């Protein structure tokens, strides 16, 4: 079964450093997303990306965050200057047809720890 | 943001019995309702969904019920198996152009052998 792959599985970084989280979505999917889950809290939407541009973003997704699809297969989330409160599990997701919710597939996540 | 609530943080059920997980929402504009299952260190895995035009959807041991007047969603698992032990999230999608999902806080289901 096709899957969404995320690397690394765990990233530890110093406060103020830049991090890039990587995702390989399902190959024929067109819509890409990042979500995050702070420990003990709910999974929260960050951003959606379609046709090489951001289609929607949450209030969490401020100027410190950016997304990119650099080469047609990878989808990355960059945090420019990490803060302690950025520590969370970050999930990438993709879907083939935005209106087909059953095809919305999540990766296993990257645990980001900011120290 | 309390648009989606799962009021039971945990539930314990005996193997073979029914598990009922509940979810309440506030916005009548939501058009799709989903249940995801999540194991530790893994991403959410899609289980079952229902559109706002239906009140029941069944897939094997899993049935989702939607009560629009009460703005209430439930997931029934019958019979429950130890492998069902996981965190269950309900998620909703608002109608219109958005594809984002809004998740509940999750319910930890423990199925005792």
């Amino acid at each position: 079964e096709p899957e969404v792959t995320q690397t690394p599985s765990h990233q530890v970084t110093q406060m103020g450093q830049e991090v890039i989280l990587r995702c390989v979505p399902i190959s024929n999917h067109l819509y890409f997303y990042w979500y995050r889950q702070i420990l003990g809290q709910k999974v929260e939407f960050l951003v959606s990306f379609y046709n090489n541009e951001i289609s929607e973003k949450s209030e969490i997704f401020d100027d410190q965050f950016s997304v990119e699809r650099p080469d047609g297969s990878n989808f990355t989330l960059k945090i420019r200057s990490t803060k302690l409160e950025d520590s969370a599990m970050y999930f990438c997701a993709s879907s083939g047809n935005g209106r087909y919710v059953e095809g919305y597939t999540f990766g296993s996540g990257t645990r980001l720890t900011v120290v | 943001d309390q648009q989606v609530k799962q009021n039971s943080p945990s539930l314990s059920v005996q193997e073979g019995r029914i598990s009922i997980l509940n979810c309440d929402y506030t916005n009548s504009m939501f058009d799709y309702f989903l249940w995801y299952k999540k194991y530790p260190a893994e991403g959410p895995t899609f289980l079952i969904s229902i559109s706002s035009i239906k009140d029941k959807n069944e897939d094997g041991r899993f049935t989702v019920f939607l009560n629009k007047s009460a703005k209430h969603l439930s997931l029934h698992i019958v019979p429950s198996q130890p492998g069902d032990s996981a965190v269950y999230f309900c998620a909703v999608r608002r109608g219109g152009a958005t594809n984002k999902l809004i998740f509940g806080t999750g319910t930890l289901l423990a199925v005792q052998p």
Side-chain angles (χ1 to χ4, degrees), chain A residues 46-65:
Chain A
L46 291 178
V47 66
S48 60
F49 191 85
Y50 171 70
N51 201 24
N52 277 320
E53 60 183 25
I54 291 173
S55 50
E56 189 173 1
K57 60 183 181 179
S58 72
E59 61 275 9
I60 302 168
F61 194 89
D62 62 21
D63 292 345
Q64 294 299 312
F65 292 87

Side-chain angles (χ1 to χ4, degrees), chain A:
Chain A
E1 189 168 326
E3 58 181 30
V4 174
T5 306
Q6 290 187 244
T7 54
S9 56
H10 190 188
Q11 172 105 34
V12 181
T13 189
Q14 293 224 322
M15 191 169 55
Q17 295 295 303
E18 174 183 286
V19 292
I20 298 177
L21 309 183
R22 291 184 164 78
C23 169
V24 178
I26 293 173
S27 61
N28 61 349
H29 280 185
L30 302 175
Y31 296 78
F32 313 109
Y33 315 88
W34 284 100
Y35 287 76
R36 79 173 186 189
Q37 184 184 27
I38 294 172
L39 187 64
Q41 297 186 26
K42 62 174 71 176
V43 176
E44 300 173 289
F45 170 80
L46 291 178
V47 66
S48 60
F49 191 85
Y50 171 70
N51 201 24
N52 277 320
E53 60 183 25
I54 291 173
S55 50
E56 189 173 1
K57 60 183 181 179
S58 72
E59 61 275 9
I60 302 168
F61 194 89
D62 62 21
D63 292 345
Q64 294 299 312
F65 292 87
S66 62
V67 289
E68 195 178 30
R69 188 155 160 81
D71 56 13
S73 62
N74 291 282
F75 179 51
T76 62
L77 174 69
K78 182 193 291 186
I79 308 175
R80 198 179 350 262
S81 176
T82 50
K83 302 189 274 280
L84 294 176
E85 53 265 38
D86 294 327
S87 296
M89 281 290 288
Y90 287 81
F91 295 106
C92 174
S94 68
S95 65
N97 176 339
R99 307 313 291 167
Y100 178 58
V101 290
E102 291 83 355
Y104 212 113
T105 304
F106 285 82
S108 297
T110 293
R111 178 171 298 285
L112 176 65
T113 303
V114 183
V115 296

Side-chain angles (χ1 to χ4, degrees), chain B residues 31-51:
Chain B
D31 72 341
Y32 248 98
F33 305 84
L34 306 91
W35 283 97
Y36 280 84
K37 178 178 177 181
K38 186 179 178 306
Y39 293 115
E42 292 185 15
T45 302
F46 171 76
L47 260 183
I48 192 168
S49 67
I50 188 167
S51 79

Side-chain angles (χ1 to χ4, degrees), chain B residues 3-113:
Chain B
Q3 296 188 70
V4 184
K5 280 199 276 191
Q6 292 176 256
N7 290 318
S8 299
S10 64
L11 175 67
S12 183
V13 169
Q14 285 293 122
E15 180 178 5
R17 306 295 287 267
I18 184 171
S19 295
I20 300 177
L21 297 113
N22 295 302
C23 179
D24 296 298
Y25 61 94
T26 57
N27 192 332
S28 57
M29 297 300 291
F30 295 140
D31 72 341
Y32 248 98
F33 305 84
L34 306 91
W35 283 97
Y36 280 84
K37 178 178 177 181
K38 186 179 178 306
Y39 293 115
E42 292 185 15
T45 302
F46 171 76
L47 260 183
I48 192 168
S49 67
I50 188 167
S51 79
S52 59
I53 62 173
K54 296 187 175 181
D55 53 23
K56 178 182 173 180
N57 188 27
E58 198 169 345
D59 183 2
R61 295 186 299 115
F62 302 93
T63 303
V64 56
F65 295 92
L66 177 62
N67 182 335
K68 288 185 286 294
S69 60
K71 295 191 178 68
H72 180 81
L73 180 72
S74 63
L75 174 69
H76 292 207
I77 306 173
V78 183
S80 302
Q81 300 172 354
D84 295 329
S85 298
V87 177
Y88 289 78
F89 291 96
C90 66
V92 302
R93 186 186 74 184
R94 199 176 68 238
T98 183
N99 292 329
K100 83 173 188 185
L101 299 180
I102 302 169
F103 282 81
T105 47
T107 297
L108 174 63
L109 174 65
V111 180
Q112 311 294 338

